[in-house]
Amino acid sequence: MTTTQVRLLDSDGHLIESNSELGAYVDDSIKAVATGQVPAQDGPFPTLDGIHNFFKGEGGRFGGERTMASEERTGSGEDWTHFLDKTGIEQTVIFPTRGLAVGFIQTPEYADRLCRAYNDYVHDRYHKVDARIHPVGLIPLQSPSLAVAELRRIVRDLGMPGAMLPTTGLPLHLAHEYYWPVYEEAANLGCVLALHGGSNRGIGLDTFTDFVGSHVLHHPVPLMYSLVALVYHGVFDRYPGLKLAFLEGGPGWLVPVLDRAIRDDEFFGKVAKRPFDEYITSGNVLIGCEGNDVSLPYVASRIGIEPFAYSSDYPHEVDLAAAMHEIEETLEDETLTDDQKHAVLFENTRRFYSF
């Protein structure tokens, strides 16, 4: 199988927000913050954490010279069009960069106004630029009633595939009943809620001083927390139609979770209504991976290939050259069958997002 014989979909890329572009969509009450006019505030979103702002790689894909898709502003709608054209990816679902910190906003009214502005912005400057680009919206989980209203608006009026749930920053774990109205609305709408990490704050890594050490943990760890909470606090059982994506942690974090869940079932009896792995293989869960993850064949041998979907992560750690390389590595992997490669690179994303 070669790149000319395979179809490609991207379940998790990233846009990079422009303060000046986003500023055109906010109302006057937050315009000064959104456009960087407030001292000590560089744009409308909180700082992601205290470690992302200092990393200088020494070689490697991230630290070395990067090959971007175009000469357009990196992470813009126009840049994404070039990336899709050059990689052959048919469609992409994209997530924020600065907006990954939306969970750290403490004021519900501000979160609501910013999320509305962000959603209008990305719809106009990404999806309208290229219909192959599908931005996922932001909703103000600081107030579930406001989050429900905004989720309904972005799905029904803007045609977005759903919303991102930040896995760090919020005062309650994502399975807490405080957020259940959001899950009920998402299930009724048939849309996707996508859990995405990014920050190392509040998950036991706040005192780390090395970025790479933090990065090893701060994507998969909050996904582990959230999946376990959603199973054992009954969210999956209460809303069987709910579609949840767990992104940017790869597939390997599932192994210790599965092992512990099986062991605890043996010692304490089954607390959840179904075996743990059945929640993952229900068809309503998507796990983002690079496709060439070393652990993927093993995890797939345990629970099947259906939950796993290729994620480009462009233009964060991955540039154009790295994205092409990872696709080629996946296609050349002799431990995956052609059907499994097709599932990861195309079919699982198509089915989950109903493309």
Side-chain angles (χ1 to χ4, degrees):
M1 183 182 288
T2 67
T3 53
T4 59
Q5 299 171 317
V6 71
R7 299 182 71 181
L8 303 169
L9 291 173
D10 178 14
S11 70
D12 178 17
H14 285 272
L15 61 88
I16 296 182
E17 302 89 341
S18 161
N19 286 346
S20 60
E21 291 176 1
L22 177 54
Y25 292 84
V26 302
D27 64 37
D28 290 340
S29 67
I30 62 172
K31 188 174 286 291
V33 174
T35 54
Q37 299 174 43
V38 174
Q41 181 69 31
D42 180 23
F45 291 102
T47 301
L48 192 61
D49 53 37
I51 204 162
H52 272 83
N53 58 353
F54 183 77
F55 176 69
K56 180 177 168 61
E58 301 296 335
R61 293 180 189 172
F62 187 58
E65 184 177 347
R66 288 165 61 78
T67 304
M68 308 316 295
S70 73
E71 295 183 0
E72 305 283 354
R73 182 179 69 82
T74 298
S76 65
E78 293 77 10
D79 184 53
W80 262 102
T81 290
H82 286 281
F83 180 78
L84 296 177
D85 288 343
K86 291 178 179 179
T87 58
I89 294 172
E90 296 180 21
Q91 299 185 70
T92 183
V93 182
I94 58 171
F95 292 81
T97 294
R98 295 186 176 189
L100 293 172
V102 67
F104 293 106
I105 297 173
Q106 292 180 244
T107 310
E109 183 180 12
Y110 176 79
D112 183 48
R113 295 182 183 187
L114 178 56
C115 287
R116 289 180 64 86
Y118 172 91
N119 294 332
D120 290 338
Y121 160 57
V122 297
H123 179 255
D124 284 355
R125 300 304 294 263
Y126 289 86
H127 186 64
K128 284 188 176 179
V129 167
D130 192 325
R132 297 175 296 175
I133 304 171
H134 303 276
V136 167
L138 296 179
I139 54 176
L141 284 174
Q142 292 80 356
S143 167
S145 61
L146 294 174
V148 165
E150 183 60 4
L151 181 62
R152 188 181 303 127
R153 184 182 79 91
I154 64 175
V155 173
R156 290 181 175 174
D157 298 346
L158 302 184
M160 289 184 172
M164 185 197 83
L165 304 183
T167 56
T168 53
L170 296 169
L172 302 168
H173 65 80
L174 284 174
H176 194 282
E177 62 185 286
Y178 182 72
Y179 303 120
W180 286 4
V182 178
Y183 299 130
E184 181 177 10
E185 183 66 22
N188 290 338
L189 290 168
C191 70
V192 169
L193 296 178
L195 287 70
H196 204 293
S199 174
N200 75 348
R201 291 166 60 185
I203 55 172
L205 305 176
D206 302 76
T207 59
F208 272 46
T209 58
D210 181 84
F211 171 81
V212 175
S214 174
H215 192 265
V216 168
L217 297 170
H218 68 232
H219 283 293
V221 165
L223 297 182
M224 296 171 74
Y225 293 166
S226 298
L227 176 61
V228 171
L230 289 159
V231 170
Y232 288 105
H233 289 80
V235 173
F236 282 109
D237 295 321
R238 188 178 183 89
Y239 308 107
L242 183 63
K243 300 174 74 172
L244 294 170
F246 296 79
L247 302 171
E248 204 153 327
W253 60 271
L254 285 170
V255 175
V257 173
L258 286 167
D259 288 350
R260 294 299 300 180
I262 292 169
R263 182 177 176 83
D264 282 1
D265 278 351
E266 294 173 352
F267 276 90
F268 302 112
K270 288 182 169 59
V271 176
K273 291 185 178 180
R274 290 181 284 166
F276 193 93
D277 62 310
E278 288 188 11
Y279 293 97
I280 305 170
T281 60
S282 65
N284 287 353
V285 167
L286 194 76
I287 309 292
C289 61
E290 280 64 50
N292 62 338
D293 300 85
V294 174
S295 61
L296 178 58
Y298 170 71
V299 184
S301 73
R302 292 185 61 173
I303 63 172
I305 200 69
E306 289 74 17
F308 303 104
Y310 166 71
S311 302
S312 75
D313 197 40
Y314 181 82
H316 284 180
E317 289 120 50
V318 175
D319 62 1
L320 175 63
M324 295 294 293
H325 179 71
E326 289 181 350
I327 293 169
E328 291 287 354
E329 278 189 331
T330 304
L331 295 173
E332 294 169 1
D333 189 341
E334 295 181 355
T335 63
L336 295 173
T337 68
D338 285 353
D339 286 345
Q340 287 177 318
K341 295 170 187 178
H342 174 70
V344 170
L345 293 172
F346 181 82
E347 181 58 28
N348 296 343
T349 298
R350 184 206 63 76
R351 184 185 65 250
F352 185 77
Y353 285 104
S354 301
F355 286 156

